[in-house]
Amino acid sequence: MMWKTIIMSDLHLGARQSQTDKILKFLSENESETLILNGDIIDGWAMKKNPNWDKKCTKIVKKIIKKSKNDTEVIWIRGNHDDFLTDFLPMSFNKIKIREKHTLVGLDGRFYYIFHGDVLDFVVLKARWLAVIGGHSYDFIIRLNTLYNKIRRWFKLPYHSLANIVKQSVKGAINFLDNFEKNAVNLARTEGYDVAICGHIHHPKIGDDYMNSGDFCENSTCLVEDFNGEWKILEI
C-alpha cells in the first residue's frame, strides 16, 4: 500500500515488549513518500539494562535505511528512550534526518507539529529516577503479559495487553492522558501550528487538533495520511 505519510513511534527495538514481527510485516507491505519515526525507535534504556536485540531488530533498521535510499524521506525524531541521540542533533545518517521535532504541511493545508511528547511528561522531566523504577515494574508486567498471551493462544483467544490496562489505569489516576493531550495542543498552538502529533504515551488517537500514533508494543498502531489528505490509524 502506498501512502503520502506514515508516522510510527515507540517501536522500542531492543526491548522485550517490541512486536518486531508486526513491524517487519508493516514495513514490508507499506510504502510512503515520507516516513516519520516519532521517537523511542531504539530503546536505549532497555539496551543498557536488559538488551533484547536480535536479527529481527537489525532487519527492521536495514529496511528503514533501504527506504531512505529509495527516495522515501525518512525523519527520526528523538524520544526519551532514544535520548542517546540528544547531543548529536540535528544530524543525518544514511539519508535519515534525525531531529528534535518536525514540521509537516498536510495535503489539507494544515501545519502539523510533530514531536515525541516526553517534553510534556513531568515524570520524565522532573523525576527520571521514578520513570526508571516504573520501567522495571513495566518489564515485570511484560513478562507476565507474555505468559498470559501464550495461555490465550492455547485457547485460540486473541492477543490482549495486560500492560496496556495497567498503564492506562495508573496514568488515569493522575489524569495523565487528558493533561497530556491538552498540553500538546497548547504547545502546538503557541508555536503557531494547527495540530499536534505525538507518540510517547502508547495511546493512539485522531482528533481535530491532536493525534497520536500509538506504539508497536501493546497496540501495534501507526498514523497514515492518504493522497486525499485523510488521516487514519492503522492497526497491524
Side-chain angles (χ1 to χ4, degrees):
M1 187 71 178
M2 184 69 184
W3 304 99
K4 176 66 175 175
T5 308
I6 294 173
I7 302 178
M8 308 172 71
S9 68
D10 299 272
L11 308 188
H12 288 278
L13 299 178
R16 186 185 302 272
Q17 66 266 30
S18 181
Q19 295 192 18
T20 51
D21 287 335
K22 292 186 177 182
I23 298 169
L24 282 170
K25 174 179 170 62
F26 177 78
L27 291 175
S28 297
E29 295 177 353
N30 293 271
E31 299 291 341
S32 60
E33 291 185 358
T34 303
L35 172 61
I36 299 173
L37 306 169
N38 196 6
D40 288 1
I41 305 307
I42 295 176
D43 195 324
W45 296 10
M47 293 293 287
K48 285 182 180 179
K49 61 183 180 181
N50 188 22
N52 193 40
W53 191 276
D54 58 17
K55 292 181 179 179
K56 293 177 183 177
C57 294
T58 302
K59 190 172 182 180
I60 289 167
V61 173
K62 287 182 176 179
K63 277 186 174 293
I64 292 171
I65 292 173
K66 184 177 180 180
K67 287 178 184 294
S68 73
K69 292 179 176 179
N70 290 339
D71 296 326
T72 297
E73 183 183 23
V74 179
I75 297 156
W76 178 357
I77 296 171
R78 175 210 59 80
N80 53 303
H81 282 257
D82 46 23
D83 56 2
F84 55 85
L85 297 168
T86 301
D87 292 338
F88 305 100
L89 298 180
M91 65 176 290
S92 296
F93 172 75
N94 277 331
K95 293 189 175 181
I96 298 173
K97 300 172 185 176
I98 306 176
R99 301 288 186 264
E100 188 79 24
K101 55 191 176 183
H102 180 66
T103 298
L104 175 71
V105 181
L107 289 176
D108 58 8
R110 294 192 296 172
F111 286 79
Y112 294 81
Y113 187 49
I114 305 175
F115 61 106
H116 181 61
D118 54 301
V119 295
L120 304 174
D121 188 350
F122 98 94
V123 171
V124 175
L125 286 174
K126 303 298 184 183
R128 190 175 188 279
W129 63 271
L130 185 60
V132 171
I133 292 172
H136 286 294
S137 301
Y138 186 64
D139 287 344
F140 171 75
I141 294 297
I142 288 296
R143 294 188 183 98
L144 184 62
N145 187 71
T146 300
L147 176 60
Y148 170 67
N149 277 287
K150 281 183 179 179
I151 295 172
R152 288 181 65 86
R153 284 197 298 272
W154 290 339
F155 289 97
K156 297 183 178 179
L157 295 172
Y159 179 87
H160 187 66
S161 177
L162 286 177
N164 199 34
I165 294 171
V166 171
K167 183 182 59 139
Q168 298 306 329
S169 66
V170 171
K171 289 189 176 181
I174 59 171
N175 296 317
F176 182 86
L177 292 175
D178 288 343
N179 289 337
F180 183 92
E181 180 175 338
K182 185 192 332 182
N183 290 335
V185 171
N186 288 340
L187 177 59
R189 287 176 177 169
T190 298
E191 296 290 334
Y193 293 84
D194 301 303
V195 184
I197 301 182
C198 300
H200 186 51
I201 58 173
H202 297 202
H203 189 73
K205 183 174 180 179
I206 290 183
D208 292 335
D209 48 13
Y210 168 83
M211 299 194 292
N212 195 296
S213 48
D215 65 284
F216 273 84
C217 297
E218 298 113 50
N219 298 294
S220 297
T221 58
C222 63
L223 287 167
V224 294
E225 179 191 27
D226 66 23
F227 287 92
N228 295 315
E230 297 290 332
W231 287 91
K232 64 180 71 175
I233 294 171
L234 290 189
E235 183 173 356
I236 314 306

